[in-house]
Amino acid sequence: MRGIKIGNKTSKYPIIQGGMGVGVSLHKLAGAVSKEGGIGIISTADIGYQEPDFKTNPKEANLRAIGKEIKKAREIAGEDKILGVNIMVAMKEYASIVKECVKQKIDLIISGAGIPKDLPEYVKKTATKIAPIVSSLRCCKLIVKHWMNKYDYVPDMIVIEGPEAGGHLGFKKEELEEEHKPKLEDITVEIVNYIKEVEKETGKEIPVISAGGIWDSKDIKKFLDLGADGVQMATRFVATNECDASEEFKKAYVQAKKEDIKIIKSPVGMPGRAIYNTFIKRTEKEPCKVDKCYQCIKTCNVANTPYCITKALINAVKGNLKEGLVFCGSNVERVKEIVSVKTLMNELVCEL
């Protein structure tokens, strides 16, 4: 079993913990995953929500929190382990967030929720490596060619997020219907074959990571056998003692049934997979007036949004589920207990 090589570091296991915001994957979870041999990822989405000035100065609160969370995660994981961040392209302060993470010498930036066209501009001549999130071969080719032509930069890693992933999805709503839904296995094979050509052309190793609906050691082995270099998993890491979310948030995963999982229309204009709770049902009938804008997402229109996504995600991670949005992956109904990251990692690699 081979780990994932990022720069001059290699993880023990081919497992990346997906970045989950707001506040679901911060220093406790990311640090623990890296310590146990995976690659822990801190979500930068409204990362400063616990800072005292977040409501009055969200930009500065978020930038300040980035340094704090990375430092704490490194103290848990150790300097020799790989630690990464997830940064959404859709964030209004995207460039500032990327620059701050690079300043903090983060090992890896994974970026999606949009096309990270200019990401190489911020990391050239630094040790930070970058990975775009793609949902199709077409998207992968677009990014690779653009980065190579404009920046002479080849991606350090490719993350494929399929239609079974949690949170915001890079697919049209009709593509997520069962009869039209593409298979992660097929997308993986297409992209692996394409990336092999890029590797031959450039002489650079580019790990390909599959994500979305991956549950256990057998699933991981299946994607490794298809040519992927590793997998990214998020949902299972919520149900861990070290996850930064509240116990109420974790219990929502443990208690979720298959019929509770729905594709919803997010206020930011993208489809997303979430637990269809009373909050979502209520806001579908009657929008929740937004009295404070946190300047988070470029595509959010305060005038006609059904609710403030920042406020809804913060409420959820703090445990106020009656007023909160709970994103999840397609396998959330299979979560039955909360365990330690160490126990989960041992289970995930048992058949590799």
Side-chain angles (χ1 to χ4, degrees), residues 144 148 154 195 197-206:
V144 170
M148 290 175 69
V154 182
I195 290 300
E197 295 174 12
V198 177
E199 289 178 325
K200 285 179 185 177
E201 180 186 340
T202 62
K204 178 177 179 178
E205 284 190 31
I206 310 166

Side-chain angles (χ1 to χ4, degrees), residues 177-195:
E177 294 170 1
E178 209 57 48
E179 61 268 29
H180 304 301
K181 193 186 295 182
K183 289 186 176 181
L184 178 60
E185 292 89 340
D186 296 337
I187 305 170
T188 296
V189 171
E190 289 178 342
I191 290 178
V192 164
N193 289 335
Y194 169 65
I195 290 300

Side-chain angles (χ1 to χ4, degrees), residues 42-259:
I42 296 169
S43 169
T44 61
D46 287 315
I47 190 172
Y49 81 97
Q50 298 177 94
E51 294 291 302
D53 59 342
F54 177 70
K55 287 186 177 181
T56 56
N57 196 355
K59 177 182 177 180
E60 291 305 316
N62 286 330
L63 294 177
R64 188 186 319 120
I66 286 169
K68 289 182 179 180
E69 292 294 331
I70 291 174
K71 182 183 177 184
K72 289 178 182 177
R74 287 215 181 281
E75 287 171 354
I76 295 169
E79 290 292 332
D80 60 326
K81 300 296 194 297
I82 302 171
L83 189 68
V85 294
N86 180 289
I87 309 176
M88 296 194 299
V89 179
M91 299 295 289
K92 283 186 178 178
E93 296 297 335
Y94 179 74
S96 298
I97 294 168
V98 171
K99 289 175 184 176
E100 184 61 30
C101 290
V102 172
K103 180 183 173 184
Q104 298 296 332
K105 299 181 178 178
I106 197 69
D107 298 309
L108 174 66
I109 292 174
I110 296 176
S111 192
I115 299 175
K117 289 184 177 180
D118 301 321
L119 187 53
E121 180 181 326
Y122 308 114
V123 301
K124 272 199 162 186
K125 298 181 181 178
T126 76
T128 298
K129 305 303 178 185
I130 53 177
I133 296 174
V134 303
S135 56
S136 66
L137 176 60
R138 179 178 171 275
C139 179
C140 182
K141 285 183 173 180
L142 186 155
I143 294 171
V144 170
K145 289 176 181 178
H146 176 76
W147 283 12
M148 290 175 69
N149 291 338
K150 186 172 182 179
Y151 297 105
D152 191 28
Y153 196 106
V154 182
D156 300 296
M157 184 171 81
I158 298 288
V159 177
I160 309 165
E161 279 195 6
E164 304 296 342
H168 291 123
L169 302 166
F171 296 88
K172 295 175 183 176
K173 189 174 181 182
E174 54 268 27
E175 291 177 309
L176 296 169
E177 294 170 1
E178 209 57 48
E179 61 268 29
H180 304 301
K181 193 186 295 182
K183 289 186 176 181
L184 178 60
E185 292 89 340
D186 296 337
I187 305 170
T188 296
V189 171
E190 289 178 342
I191 290 178
V192 164
N193 289 335
Y194 169 65
I195 290 300
K196 282 179 181 176
E197 295 174 12
V198 177
E199 289 178 325
K200 285 179 185 177
E201 180 186 340
T202 62
K204 178 177 179 178
E205 284 190 31
I206 310 166
V208 175
I209 310 301
S210 296
I214 295 167
W215 177 258
D216 56 17
S217 189
K218 289 180 181 178
D219 289 340
I220 297 171
K221 187 177 185 304
K222 175 174 67 175
F223 283 96
L224 295 179
D225 289 345
L226 288 173
D229 298 279
V231 300
Q232 178 179 277
M233 305 174 68
T235 294
R236 296 211 67 184
F237 284 102
V238 171
T240 59
N241 300 325
E242 294 89 343
C243 176
D244 296 86
S246 65
E247 289 304 305
E248 290 82 4
F249 190 99
K250 297 175 192 181
K251 286 176 184 176
Y253 271 48
V254 174
Q255 295 166 0
K257 298 178 177 64
K258 191 173 183 65
E259 57 267 28

Side-chain angles (χ1 to χ4, degrees), residues 317-335:
V317 79
K318 286 183 173 180
N320 180 8
L321 303 186
K322 290 182 179 179
E323 302 294 333
L325 168 61
V326 181
F327 281 136
C328 66
S330 63
N331 280 317
V332 70
E333 86 278 1
R334 298 174 71 179
V335 174

